[in-house]
């Protein structure tokens, strides 16, 4: 997309004509973020600028190891030259199957330097089958990983794997002149591809460009006060889109990234800036984080009480936006004692609340939120059909602008803030991760003796499932979930029933199943499982 949302006023078409003139004006004022030009159009150029500006500044710390901006840039240059020699080229999608580490940062930056896109997966916890499905979609001849993770990769990935730790160990960490890699990437080239769960049981890769990334990370409030001398926590799963906010945002602004180990609280206590899901933030005590001055949450609904607690301690932002709109496309600084909302669109982005016919809802009416502007990503990797289904021409901006159907419900408050009111489908958030319930059900139904399954969300951390008939092997159904799905998709309990309760309209009565699950959880049940381990 080349058109900034504020370069032209909203078009007055059929989607707006039913509104009064005064509401049309507010629809534009509230739904369109400010027009701001990011300082860079490729995120690695911003990181390289920091290396020139303050070469000895600390870029990252992990497990006692420190790397400066100069060292990070030089090591990434050397690796980038090697990637080019091995056949990686501009436009490739390169698997980054790693764990949190400094080597991960070098690999990520090197991929960007050659004009390719990195595809992050935490190989410690992602099932081998899922890694294989991601790998099938990628174009690069190489996969970047770590030597201790080779046994976690699909067998056919090992011959094409480059172990970052081994490669870097062969090169001294000294400040000497090294090869410079040309600025190959253009703003609309891909920066990264994030894989989310899909309704078919196969993950979908969301294609995010440099223009998308720079638009949120290099403008306010997305820059989150990151600057030289500021410490930023890296606490999130690297396969989660918000991890790019931590990592790329920090490095692009010259701050210091604190890469966590197993103890999130220990890292949070040392940070000035923390980006997290509400579930993670709820485990932390603001009194134990005296230096934490800026906090942002997204990925799942935030409770008012949690926002109140942290807003009294830090500058607190509540955000919203699916991966397809690049991390978040709304952010709201919460003031204690006021209604918690998701705010307004971030710079160069738009949000429209529309009815079933795609017309603008009257202000205050509930509708589905569609997102437009510079944050809208380039669609799904190798999936034109799904891209056409979810991304549509933007009737308000016109031209070549597109908008994305978020499937989130919302409405405008009287003062022009967006309230998030849930989902319109079976896509849910669990532990901050997006989960397609249909994908979990598909895994259940692959279990021995299972002819039908249902997956339900109990709370923000728990899924339960039912399978039919009663003779279905619940342990095998559980094994299929572990084999096919990420840990956060695995149901905590699986129950077998001869038949599912039905509503008067002939649909499965999910409310009745949830009540039944509550009853079962109070008793010993042969199909109950222990909670899966989590990162």
């Amino acid at each position: 997309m080349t058109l900034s949302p504020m370069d032209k006023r909203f078009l007055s078409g059929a989607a707006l004509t039913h509104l009064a003139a005064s509401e049309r004006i507010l629809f534009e004022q509230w739904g369109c973020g400010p027009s701001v030009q990011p300082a860079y159009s490729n995120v690695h150029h911003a990181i390289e600028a920091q290396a020139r500006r303050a070469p000895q500044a600390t870029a990252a710390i992990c497990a006692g190891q420190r790397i400066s901006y100069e060292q990070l840039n030089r090591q990434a240059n050397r690796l980038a030259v090697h990637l080019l020699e091995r056949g990686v080229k501009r436009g490739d999608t390169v698997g980054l199957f790693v764990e949190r580490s400094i080597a991960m940062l070098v690999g990520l930056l090197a991929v960007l330097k050659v004009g390719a896109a990195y595809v992050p997966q935490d190989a410690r916890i992602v099932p081998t089958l899922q890694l294989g499905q991601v790998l099938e979609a990628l174009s690069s001849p190489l996969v970047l990983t770590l030597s201790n993770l080779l046994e976690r990769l699909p067998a056919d990935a090992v011959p094409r794997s480059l172990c970052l730790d081994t490669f870097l160990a062969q090169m001294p960490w000294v400040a000497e002149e090294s090869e410079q890699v040309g600025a190959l990437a253009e703003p609309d080239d891909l920066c990264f591809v994030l894989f989310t769960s899909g309704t078919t049981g196969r993950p979908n890769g969301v294609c995010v460009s440099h223009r998308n990334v720079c638009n949120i990370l290099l403008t306010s409030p997305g820059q989150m006060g990151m600057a030289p001398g500021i410490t930023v926590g890296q606490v999130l799963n690297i396969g989660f889109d918000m991890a790019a906010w931590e990592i790329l945002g920090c490095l692009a602004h010259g701050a210091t990234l604190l890469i966590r180990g197993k103890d999130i609280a220990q890292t949070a206590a040392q940070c000035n800036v923390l980006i997290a899901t509400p579930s993670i933030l709820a485990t932390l005590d603001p009194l134990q984080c005296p230096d934490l001055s800026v906090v942002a949450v997204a990925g799942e609904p935030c409770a008012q009480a949690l926002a109140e607690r942290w807003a009294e301690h830090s500058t607190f932002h509540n955000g919203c936006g699916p991966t397809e709109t690049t991390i978040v496309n709304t952010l709201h600084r919460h003031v204690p004692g006021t209604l918690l909302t998701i705010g307004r669109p971030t710079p160069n982005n738009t949000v429209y609340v529309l009815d079933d016919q795609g017309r603008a809802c009257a202000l205050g009416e509930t509708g589905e939120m569609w997102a437009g502007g510079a944050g809208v990503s380039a669609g799904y990797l190798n999936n034109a059909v799904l891209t056409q289904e979810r991304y549509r021409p933007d009737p308000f901006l016109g031209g070549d602008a597109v908008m994305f159907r978020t499937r989130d419900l919302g409405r405008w408050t009287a003062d022009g803030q967006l309230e998030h009111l849930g989902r319109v489908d079976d896509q849910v958030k669990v532990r901050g991760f997006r989960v397609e319930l249909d994908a979990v059900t598909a895994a259940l139904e692959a279990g021995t003796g299972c002819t039908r399954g249902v997956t339900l969300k109990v709370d923000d951390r728990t899924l339960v499932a039912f399978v039919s008939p009663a003779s279905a092997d619940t342990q095998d159904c559980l094994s299929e979930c572990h084999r096919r799905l990420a840990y956060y998709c695995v149901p905590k309990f699986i129950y077998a029933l001869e038949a599912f309760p039905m509503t008067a309209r002939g649909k499965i009565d999910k409310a009745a199943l949830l009540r039944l699950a509550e009853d079962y959880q109070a008793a010993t049940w042969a199909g109950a499982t222990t909670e899966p381990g989590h990162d």
Side-chain angles (χ1 to χ4, degrees), residues 100 259-264 266-267:
R100 296 182 194 90
I259 303 175
R260 77 166 173 94
K262 292 184 178 181
D263 191 343
I264 296 178
Q266 183 180 56
T267 300

Side-chain angles (χ1 to χ4, degrees), residues 197-527:
S197 66
T199 55
T200 64
R202 298 183 65 87
N204 297 316
V206 180
C207 299
V208 182
S209 72
H210 281 269
R211 189 186 304 277
N212 296 149
V213 172
C214 290
N215 187 66
I216 184 64
L217 300 188
L218 303 185
T219 61
S220 182
Q223 63 191 39
M224 294 289 292
M226 300 180 198
I230 296 295
T231 54
V232 181
Q234 204 281 288
V235 303
L236 298 170
N237 184 311
I238 58 172
F240 192 15
D241 60 348
M242 288 169 60
W245 196 359
E246 302 171 311
I247 297 169
L248 297 177
C250 173
L251 298 178
H253 291 290
T256 298
L257 192 68
L258 303 184
I259 303 175
R260 77 166 173 94
K262 292 184 178 181
D263 191 343
I264 296 178
Q266 183 180 56
T267 300
Q270 303 174 61
C271 291
N272 304 128
V273 176
L274 183 68
I275 297 166
T277 63
S279 291
I280 289 176
L281 196 65
T283 68
L284 304 175
D285 182 356
L287 298 180
Q288 299 300 314
C289 305
D291 298 325
L292 194 51
S293 58
V294 182
V295 175
V297 295
E300 61 184 342
C302 180
Q304 177 88 26
L306 183 65
E308 294 286 318
R309 183 184 186 198
W310 282 90
E312 292 176 353
H313 175 77
S314 311
T315 298
F316 181 87
H317 294 278
N318 186 38
C320 185
T323 302
E324 290 85 350
T325 63
T326 312
I327 308 174
V328 292
N329 67 330
T330 69
L331 270 176
H332 172 63
R333 180 177 178 179
H334 181 62
V335 176
T338 64
L339 175 69
L340 179 65
T341 73
I342 58 173
R344 291 185 182 179
T346 48
N348 308 313
N349 283 324
T350 61
V351 177
Y352 318 122
V353 180
L354 307 180
D355 62 20
D356 292 340
Q357 285 74 48
R359 303 186 311 163
C361 289
L363 302 181
E365 288 186 357
T366 298
E368 186 172 349
M369 291 189 285
W370 289 72
V376 178
S377 60
Y380 298 104
L381 187 67
N382 306 328
N383 196 335
V385 173
L386 186 61
T387 298
Q388 291 176 358
E389 176 186 329
R390 301 279 182 87
Y391 296 76
R392 303 284 178 81
D394 189 330
F396 305 103
L397 292 178
D400 62 352
V402 296
M403 61 181 185
F404 176 76
R405 183 182 185 183
T406 71
R407 300 179 184 268
D408 289 317
L409 295 172
R411 67 183 174 199
W412 292 103
T413 65
D415 60 347
Q417 302 290 318
L418 276 167
E419 281 190 273
H420 186 277
L421 301 174
R423 300 285 298 170
V424 298
D425 57 15
D426 277 347
Q427 186 184 91
V428 299
K429 287 292 184 76
V430 177
R431 305 184 189 189
F433 292 93
R434 193 166 69 182
V435 176
E436 295 276 2
L437 295 181
D438 286 347
V440 182
T441 298
L444 291 167
E445 292 176 347
T448 302
C450 178
T451 59
R452 198 174 189 191
V454 178
T455 309
L456 303 171
K457 177 182 174 180
V458 175
D459 54 40
D460 289 337
R461 295 187 63 80
T462 308
L463 296 176
V464 297
F466 288 86
V467 294
S468 179
S471 58
D473 186 338
T474 56
Q475 286 301 317
D476 193 58
C477 292
L478 176 64
S479 295
E480 287 295 326
C481 288
H482 279 295
R483 191 174 76 87
R484 295 164 176 259
L485 305 170
Y487 70 91
Y488 51 85
C489 298
V490 178
K492 183 175 182 180
F493 298 99
I494 302 176
Y495 306 109
L497 298 176
E498 191 58 35
F500 297 147
M502 308 294 283
T503 66
R505 295 182 178 231
K507 297 182 178 181
I508 297 174
D509 191 337
K510 295 181 179 180
L513 287 177
L514 279 174
R515 292 192 295 270
L516 191 58
E518 293 173 357
D519 293 338
Y520 284 157
Q521 287 177 36
T524 302
W525 177 255

Side-chain angles (χ1 to χ4, degrees), residues 96-104 123-124 143-153 161-166 168:
L96 189 64
F97 295 177
V98 291
E99 62 183 352
R100 296 182 194 90
S101 60
I102 285 177
M104 171 192 75
R124 296 170 307 141
V143 176
L144 303 184
T145 188
L146 299 170
S147 56
N148 65 308
L149 298 174
L150 279 174
E151 62 182 19
R152 296 278 304 154
L153 303 188
S161 294
L162 173 63
C163 293
L164 294 169
D165 51 334
T166 303
L168 296 175

